[in-house]
Amino acid sequence: MRGPFVVVWGILIAATLLSWYLGADHGIHNHQVATTVILLVAFVKVRFVGLYFMELRDAPTRLRTLFEVHCLAVCTAMLTVYFAS
């Protein structure tokens, strides 16, 4: 095994299946909650891909902080626009 990469890959697959399940009207019947969860799952996936498969977890502190802030800012902006509309 290749250490944490296999675990992260499994988490990414599970998150994709969760998003599909919620987006296909199988899970939550409140569409606003489902959409919010799907967006949050998407940004968790982006973070995992950046940290583990783009090797940002071992990057210099400034670069990793910039990536983390970017993920948080974009996620917050998208949720704000979604709730405002």
Side-chain angles (χ1 to χ4, degrees), residues 43 66-78:
F43 279 96
L66 182 63
F67 173 72
E68 300 274 5
V69 169
H70 172 75
C71 287
L72 183 63
V74 173
C75 182
T76 302
M78 287 186 69

Side-chain angles (χ1 to χ4, degrees), residues 32-46:
Q32 191 171 26
V33 172
T35 302
T36 302
V37 171
I38 290 169
L39 282 171
L40 291 173
V41 167
F43 279 96
V44 168
K45 288 172 59 177
V46 166

Side-chain angles (χ1 to χ4, degrees), residues 14-73:
T16 299
L17 293 174
L18 174 65
S19 296
W20 168 80
Y21 183 77
L22 294 173
D25 282 336
H26 292 114
I28 302 172
H29 296 290
N30 182 339
H31 294 288
Q32 191 171 26
V33 172
T35 302
T36 302
V37 171
I38 290 169
L39 282 171
L40 291 173
V41 167
F43 279 96
V44 168
K45 288 172 59 177
V46 166
R47 186 173 177 272
F48 277 149
V49 168
L51 291 177
Y52 287 90
F53 298 103
M54 298 175 70
E55 300 181 6
L56 288 172
R57 66 190 167 109
D58 297 324
T61 305
R62 286 184 185 177
L63 182 59
R64 181 174 175 172
T65 302
L66 182 63
F67 173 72
E68 300 274 5
V69 169
H70 172 75
C71 287
L72 183 63

